[in-house]
Amino acid sequence: DDTARLAFADWLDDRSDPRSRWLRDADLARYMRPGAADPIPGLFEALDSEDYGVWDPAVELFGRVGPSVVPA
């Protein structure tokens, strides 16, 4: 449910939790299920399991996650 997901994102935002911006993105949110976990492991798993050829939607989503994908 988008309403519940967005309300939870607001709640996380009030607590300065970085997952709030990821939950606002419906495409990223599906990689955070079932427990609103960090989407990065799910995206890496998708890269290994899906065969999209040159264009892979998981690669595009890494750009939406932001700099936390590659630690300093």
Side-chain angles (χ1 to χ4, degrees):
D1 178 13
D2 286 339
T3 303
R5 177 178 54 82
L6 294 173
F8 184 47
D10 288 343
W11 184 84
L12 289 172
D13 196 35
D14 290 344
R15 285 147 184 80
S16 300
D17 190 312
R19 296 176 297 165
S20 63
R21 71 180 175 91
W22 299 333
L23 276 172
R24 292 183 199 290
D25 184 319
D27 295 326
L28 276 175
R30 73 183 188 125
Y31 289 96
M32 299 176 74
R33 291 186 180 131
D38 183 337
I40 296 169
L43 289 170
F44 277 119
E45 186 177 308
L47 285 176
D48 288 339
S49 66
E50 298 171 354
D51 183 22
Y52 287 101
V54 176
W55 180 82
D56 190 327
V59 172
E60 179 185 338
L61 292 175
F62 274 115
R64 294 189 206 171
V65 171
S68 61
V69 172
V70 182

